[in-house]
Amino acid sequence: MNIFFLLSVLIFCLVPGPESLIFSGIPLNKEIPFYAFLLLLAFSFCALIKGKISVRLSPRGLIPLALLWCFILLKLLAFSWLPPTGFKACYRALLNELPVGQCEQSPDFLWANGQYTRYDEEIDFTDFFSAGFWNNSRFSYYQWEKGHPVFGRYPFQVEWEGNLVIPKDAAYIAFEYTGELKVVFPESDIKFPASYNAKMSGKLELKKHFPALVDGSNPNDKSLLPVSMHYRFQDHSKTGAPIKGLDAMVRVTLEDQAGKTFPINSEPLNSPWAANLLPIIDLFAFVVFGTILLSVALLIAEESIFLLFLSPCLAWFYWFYSASSPLYQYLVLFPLSILSGIAVAQIRFKKSDFTAFLIFASFLFILFSHYGLKVSTVHFFVPGHDSMTYETFFRNMLSSGNLFDFFRGTEDIFLYQPAYRYYLAFMHLIFGDGNLGITIFNKFLYLLTLPLVISMFLRKLSFFPSVILGVGFLVPLVSFVFVNLESNLSEYSALLFFTLAIYLFFLGKKGSHFILGCAFLALGNTVRTHWLPGCVYFLFANVLIFYYRGGYLTGVKYSARTLAIGVGVFCCVYALVPIHNFVYGGEIFLTTSRINHVSTLVVPPAQMLEMLYNGQLPGYILERLEYMFYIGKSNYHIGLTFHTPYQDRYMVFTQKLVHRYYLALFMNVFSFCYIAILLFNLTQFIRTKSREYFYNFLILLTPFAFLSVHFFYQIKNYYPRHIIAGQLMAYFFSVIYGREVLSHFKNRIMPAK
């Protein structure tokens, strides 16, 4: 497969087109183009791993490539010629209102510039809170305090404009609503009575009100009626008081004489001839992705039967597991970890075949486990939580009006984590206003990186360490991350960059691999700046090891020039944080201004000496270790630290309980393993004076560098997501360096004859 063809297919998939296209491009908020995009990424990644991607383009390959670019241009032309279909909708919240005449904004229609929010294909709403603009700190009303507006009943208004399509057999326009509704036609307007306690309904007879539409003079099968509808919901509900009224809803349909209803829709008055291109573009898209599906089948032909059987079974287990009681989840997850480790150890595919198998198993698992869910679904976050804050940053950046203010990121000096707001903005621009598509994509990225990690370990590990890998890394980390990915927090995105950096550092064989690993490490650090000590130490240790000894798994050494370029790339990428703080705020902060914030800084470093003098330091250190290693009664505190609807608070409590204790079990096990490996390398260095053990000991100190900041900064409130990078390092090092320790003691107990 040619790399230029794959890139062109990716561009064809992403380039915007008319909404009536099946493959309409960004935003990828429809199921078919969304999963086609994931399939394309999986195929490209798999072909790269198996060495099936070529750079050289043959003369015969120019024909399909030129045809593909012709359709890319046709798609762009159709997008520019055809106006959006549906009713132009202007949503306005009636709390902390925007300036007069400005609508709430959506990333689906960036070019609207506040003149409208989006286009609605039909008017049939029972949940007006499917719009993402409610995820904004403008609406941070704590529901546990009395006198605040009730979530789900915030006051708002909507104005729809469009051309109502009237078929020949339509006799009535029917309305159902709660709240206030006004309908404006070219020659008249009708205001319906306001109602919040009962659902109201009404009909307009087309023959009576619009005789020209039904008098038979129109030779077409349908007529167009310009219409404007104004809806308002404001029942003044407050928290702490009983709610008496109904929820907001409005539905507009057409009826024939027999009472049969069918939804209304809108279309422009004058549709250009470009509309005839749309079926051709969609047919071409299906041919392209059908070709990719065939290529996928050929690429993994040996594993395809097992793959098609395994993935639906895993998806069924995922549904069953997520719907089970917490105790049952705990009892099931433990043996599953053991079995996953055994499976990793027993499968004997070639490395590239096994990686390809895992990649497409991950894709099918994502597809089956989210079947029936709309990727445009909006998740709403708890007011005052960091999730809501990052969404607010993105929406403020969306309405900034120019690139300079966009890159300001809402803050002159970063208080919250710097790069995550830009990552979230990029995700919303690709996947639209909803959150579920972003969550699924992040899960898919996690499952794509795992084959890299597994293939790294399978090179060196035998059966027992592979079981440890499955037990201690795969299931605990993925289960914890999957539960928390919907929280919209920065730690879980940063872990993606760290996983890729670890893979490139431990398994890379070229200087470009080291440089790219430095870039990923810096990107992860800009997403979570409080991991700076750990990242700097990890980079420093790897520079020494690659220069003097060579990689632990590969033995590859890098030149001083390569190492200097890698360090320079790390510094340049991370320097964007202090540069932003200086350009926009006039001050240089290496991380964020929260470094001195009273809510996060528990004990300043200078105060440690005073605590040592007063005898308080040992008890303080033990308290911090309790939080870091899941020991002590202080960790019985369970808080709500990720998004959930208010009615599901008990579910969150029990899920967090299960995953905390589950991680606690393995964290304690791996703590002992990791400390034992660390002490083994230290004692071996002291006894033998071997540089090999010194370099091992040097790199094994990395988890302490990641955890060191939490001796000074709070860890209790948001535990354990703040320290998961240190846990990840402990997992990796326990597996990578554990084999050598086991071999040493095995030879001591059973020496070779």
Side-chain angles (χ1 to χ4, degrees):
M1 183 64 67
N2 185 266
I3 189 172
F4 298 108
F5 182 78
L6 282 178
L7 290 175
S8 300
V9 174
L10 181 64
I11 294 172
F12 176 79
C13 186
L14 293 178
V15 74
E19 279 293 312
S20 50
L21 275 175
I22 296 176
F23 291 88
S24 56
I26 56 174
L28 300 176
N29 54 8
K30 292 187 280 190
E31 285 66 40
I32 292 179
F34 176 82
Y35 288 110
F37 175 70
L38 296 190
L39 175 64
L40 178 61
L41 291 182
F43 173 74
S44 303
F45 195 54
C46 180
L48 182 64
I49 292 293
K50 298 194 73 170
K52 300 293 185 179
I53 291 184
S54 63
V55 179
R56 188 175 180 180
L57 185 64
S58 64
R60 288 190 301 176
L62 290 174
I63 298 176
L65 187 63
L67 183 63
L68 184 58
W69 274 97
C70 287
F71 275 92
I72 291 174
L73 294 176
L74 284 177
K75 190 176 177 183
L76 282 172
L77 288 174
F79 176 72
S80 61
W81 287 339
L82 288 174
T85 58
F87 296 92
K88 185 165 66 174
C90 175
Y91 289 76
R92 285 180 57 87
L94 301 179
L95 297 168
N96 298 319
E97 297 184 48
L98 296 173
V100 176
Q102 185 173 344
C103 306
E104 305 289 348
Q105 288 190 263
S106 167
D108 296 356
F109 294 90
L110 288 175
W111 53 89
N113 198 25
Q115 297 179 7
Y116 58 91
T117 305
R118 65 187 187 187
Y119 274 78
D120 293 327
E121 294 186 3
E122 57 185 33
I123 302 177
D124 187 358
F125 292 97
T126 55
D127 182 13
F128 278 94
F129 290 85
S130 61
F133 66 81
W134 293 112
N135 274 326
N136 197 309
S137 295
R138 289 165 53 203
F139 316 114
S140 287
Y141 298 103
Y142 300 119
Q143 301 299 290
W144 52 88
E145 296 180 1
K146 293 183 178 180
H148 286 175
V150 178
F151 178 78
R153 303 183 68 84
Y154 291 161
F156 67 96
Q157 66 181 28
V158 191
E159 297 179 6
W160 288 286
E161 292 183 1
N163 301 296
L164 190 61
V165 179
I166 308 293
K168 271 193 170 183
D169 54 351
Y172 303 97
I173 305 177
F175 301 89
E176 287 184 278
Y177 68 96
T178 57
E180 305 170 31
L181 179 64
K182 180 181 179 181
V183 184
V184 179
F185 297 103
E187 299 178 356
S188 63
D189 60 277
I190 301 172
K191 186 174 183 179
F192 293 89
S195 175
Y196 290 93
N197 297 321
K199 184 188 296 185
M200 300 293 290
S201 60
K203 291 183 180 180
L204 292 180
E205 187 179 356
L206 292 173
K207 186 175 182 180
K208 177 180 178 181
H209 290 84
F210 313 104
L213 295 177
V214 294
D215 61 0
S217 59
N218 189 352
N220 300 321
D221 293 333
K222 58 186 179 182
S223 303
L224 298 179
L225 176 64
V227 64
S228 175
M229 285 171 274
H230 305 261
Y231 179 79
R232 184 183 182 95
F233 184 86
Q234 189 172 19
D235 69 342
H236 305 287
S237 296
K238 299 293 182 182
T239 55
I243 298 175
K244 299 180 180 179
L246 301 176
D247 292 336
M249 67 84 59
V250 61
R251 179 181 294 113
V252 183
T253 57
L254 294 170
E255 291 185 7
D256 58 14
Q257 292 288 354
K260 180 183 177 182
T261 63
F262 41 95
I264 65 168
N265 53 67
S266 173
E267 65 180 30
L269 284 172
N270 299 309
S271 296
W273 61 269
N276 298 324
L277 292 175
L278 302 187
I280 301 175
I281 295 175
D282 273 331
L283 178 62
F284 177 77
F286 277 111
V287 170
V288 170
F289 283 100
T291 304
I292 291 177
L293 276 174
L294 180 61
S295 302
V296 167
L298 295 175
L299 202 60
I300 55 167
E302 296 178 2
E303 304 90 4
S304 57
I305 297 177
F306 181 57
L307 175 67
L308 292 174
F309 171 76
L310 175 67
S311 298
C313 292
L314 288 176
W316 174 85
F317 175 82
Y318 179 78
W319 288 332
F320 183 75
Y321 169 79
S322 60
S324 301
S325 65
L327 178 61
Y328 191 76
Q329 291 180 13
Y330 182 80
L331 294 175
V332 169
L333 206 56
F334 181 80
L336 181 67
S337 301
I338 306 291
L339 292 175
S340 68
I342 294 174
V344 169
Q346 290 295 323
I347 294 177
R348 296 305 181 202
F349 295 137
K350 290 189 300 182
K351 185 184 80 70
S352 60
D353 290 340
F354 180 56
T355 306
F357 165 77
L358 288 180
I359 288 172
F360 288 106
S362 302
F363 169 75
L364 289 178
F365 171 74
I366 289 291
L367 177 63
F368 286 118
S369 60
H370 295 90
Y371 178 77
L373 298 178
K374 290 186 175 182
V375 296
S376 59
T377 302
V378 176
H379 293 149
F380 296 100
F381 302 110
V382 178
H385 194 249
D386 288 355
S387 310
M388 179 76 82
T389 302
Y390 287 121
E391 281 284 332
T392 303
F393 287 157
F394 154 67
R395 299 196 180 275
N396 291 342
M397 292 160 61
L398 185 66
S399 58
S400 58
N402 58 73
L403 286 178
F404 184 79
D405 288 336
F406 177 87
F407 287 110
R408 183 191 301 273
T410 309
E411 294 180 326
D412 293 335
I413 297 177
F414 289 127
L415 176 64
Y416 287 82
Q417 296 305 319
Y420 185 64
R421 67 198 71 196
Y422 303 106
Y423 174 81
L424 187 63
F426 178 74
M427 289 291 102
H428 272 295
L429 292 178
I430 297 296
F431 300 109
D433 203 26
N435 310 101
L436 183 59
I438 297 176
T439 300
I440 296 175
F441 180 72
N442 285 333
K443 289 180 180 180
F444 182 64
L445 288 183
Y446 268 100
L447 293 178
L448 274 186
T449 55
L450 286 180
L452 292 176
V453 178
I454 294 171
S455 64
M456 174 175 69
F457 291 137
L458 286 180
R459 285 193 170 193
K460 293 285 184 180
L461 302 184
S462 56
F463 175 80
F464 183 69
S466 297
V467 175
I468 295 177
L469 168 66
V471 173
F473 173 65
L474 288 178
V475 177
L477 182 65
V478 173
S479 63
F480 175 76
V481 169
F482 267 43
V483 166
N484 289 276
L485 267 177
E486 291 184 5
S487 61
N488 203 35
L489 295 170
S490 58
E491 289 84 355
Y492 309 108
S493 298
L495 285 179
L496 286 172
F497 296 114
F498 280 126
T499 303
L500 290 172
I502 291 171
Y503 171 78
L504 291 169
F505 280 156
F506 277 93
L507 208 61
K509 293 184 177 180
K510 300 179 181 178
S512 58
H513 295 162
F514 175 77
I515 295 171
L516 187 59
C518 291
F520 281 128
L521 189 67
L523 285 172
N525 201 183
T526 58
V527 176
R528 288 302 302 179
T529 55
H530 76 275
W531 290 342
L532 180 62
C535 291
V536 171
Y537 181 84
F538 184 58
L539 179 61
F540 167 76
N542 275 283
V543 167
L544 291 180
I545 289 172
F546 281 125
Y547 185 74
Y548 288 106
R549 185 193 69 179
Y552 179 74
L553 297 180
T554 61
V556 175
K557 287 186 176 182
Y558 295 132
S559 65
R561 178 175 176 271
T562 299
L563 296 173
I565 293 174
V567 173
V569 167
F570 177 89
C571 295
C572 289
V573 173
Y574 187 79
L576 295 174
V577 175
I579 288 173
H580 170 280
N581 292 336
F582 180 74
V583 170
Y584 290 102
E587 298 182 50
I588 297 180
F589 275 90
L590 191 60
T591 58
T592 65
S593 59
R594 192 180 287 271
I595 192 172
N596 298 320
H597 204 275
V598 293
S599 66
T600 56
L601 182 61
V602 179
V603 175
Q607 194 177 334
M608 285 287 189
L609 293 176
E610 182 181 344
M611 295 178 68
L612 178 63
Y613 178 77
N614 295 331
Q616 300 173 341
L617 188 59
Y620 175 77
I621 292 177
L622 287 176
E623 180 188 10
R624 310 309 289 176
L625 290 175
E626 283 186 6
Y627 288 112
M628 291 183 190
F629 295 102
Y630 287 95
I631 54 179
K633 63 181 180 180
S634 53
N635 274 311
Y636 295 162
H637 168 72
I638 307 292
L640 293 173
T641 61
F642 59 90
H643 153 71
T644 185
Y646 291 104
Q647 63 269 24
D648 293 336
R649 282 176 173 271
Y650 174 74
M651 181 192 72
V652 174
F653 178 87
T654 52
Q655 279 188 349
K656 200 166 182 64
L657 179 71
V658 168
H659 286 275
R660 170 164 294 188
Y661 285 142
Y662 182 72
L663 279 179
L665 172 65
F666 288 103
M667 189 59 205
N668 284 319
V669 171
F670 270 85
S671 297
F672 288 114
C673 293
Y674 166 70
I675 296 298
I677 294 168
L678 182 70
L679 293 177
F680 169 80
N681 282 275
L682 177 60
T683 55
Q684 288 295 101
F685 168 68
I686 295 173
R687 188 172 64 87
T688 64
K689 301 297 188 293
S690 170
R691 287 189 177 184
E692 183 76 18
Y693 292 110
F694 170 74
Y695 290 129
N696 290 350
F697 178 75
L698 189 68
I699 196 71
L700 282 167
L701 289 175
T702 302
F704 284 101
F706 275 95
L707 296 173
S708 62
V709 294
H710 296 292
F711 283 102
F712 312 105
Y713 292 90
Q714 67 87 10
I715 189 176
K716 178 178 179 180
N717 292 343
Y718 307 118
Y719 186 83
R721 61 184 174 91
H722 279 183
I723 65 169
I724 197 170
Q727 295 176 359
L728 180 65
M729 290 292 184
Y731 287 149
F732 276 128
F733 294 153
S734 296
V735 176
I736 293 174
Y737 294 92
R739 179 174 181 266
E740 185 175 346
V741 178
L742 291 173
S743 299
H744 174 82
F745 285 105
K746 180 181 177 181
N747 294 332
R748 291 283 298 272
I749 297 172
M750 296 181 294
K753 295 181 180 180

